Amino acid sequence: MHGDEATIRRILTGLGDTWAVVGLSTNRGRAAYGVAEVLRRFGKRVVPVHPKAETVHEEQGYASLADIPFEVDVVDVFVNGDLAGAVADEAVAKGAKAVWFQLGVVDGAAYDRTRAAGLEMVMDRCPAIEIPRLG
C-alpha cells in the first residue's frame, strides 16, 4: 500500500499548504481542474504546472516545477504514469516535502526513490476524496 492513512493525514494537514499541481490547465473538463478547486476550498494554495504556464484559479502557472520561484510543499501529479516518475524526481530536486500521484498512477521505483530522498509519498489516491474525510 502506497499511502496509509497516517501519511495521507500528514500530507494534507501537516506539511504545508502550497501545492504544485502538475498537469493543471484551464481545461475545466480535466480532473486536475476539479481537484484543484477542492484543494483551494480546503485552504491550499494551488500552483499550476503545465507546459502552457496558464493562470488557473487566479494563480500564475509555471512550465515546470523548477520555474516556480518559491517553496512548494506538495507536488500533486496529474500526468501519464510513464511521466510521473520524472516528475517525482523533479519534486525531490525542488525540495518539496511530499509527492502525491493521482488515482491510477503507480510507479514503485519512483516511490522508492522519493521515500529514500526523505519525502512523504502517496500513490493511486485522490486528495479531493481524502481531504473531506479528515473531518
Side-chain angles (χ1 to χ4, degrees), residues 73-131:
D73 299 309
V74 181
V75 175
D76 189 6
V77 182
F78 275 96
V79 298
N80 183 294
D82 295 341
L83 306 173
V87 175
D89 296 338
E90 292 170 23
V92 170
K94 177 69 180 164
K97 298 172 188 166
V99 175
W100 192 299
F101 281 6
Q102 284 295 321
L103 290 171
V105 181
V106 176
D107 182 332
Y111 181 89
D112 293 342
R113 289 193 311 273
T114 303
R115 294 293 297 133
L119 283 70
E120 297 279 7
M121 186 162 183
V122 171
M123 295 192 306
D124 195 24
R125 303 291 281 268
C126 179
I129 293 170
E130 301 299 334
I131 201 167

Side-chain angles (χ1 to χ4, degrees), residues 8-77:
I8 290 168
R9 181 172 291 278
R10 271 193 308 278
I11 292 172
L12 290 172
T13 65
L15 293 185
D17 291 332
T18 301
W19 285 55
V21 180
V22 179
L24 176 58
S25 71
T26 57
N27 183 343
R28 293 173 182 263
R30 303 284 301 186
Y33 193 91
V35 169
E37 285 183 315
V38 172
L39 290 170
R40 285 174 38 91
R41 277 201 310 271
F42 280 87
K44 306 301 181 190
R45 178 183 184 189
V46 175
V47 181
V49 180
H50 188 279
K52 293 180 182 177
E54 299 171 311
T55 296
V56 183
H57 299 300
E58 301 174 11
E59 187 73 44
Q60 169 64 49
Y62 298 91
S64 72
L65 289 173
D67 290 342
I68 300 173
F70 47 83
E71 290 185 11
V72 169
D73 299 309
V74 181
V75 175
D76 189 6
V77 182

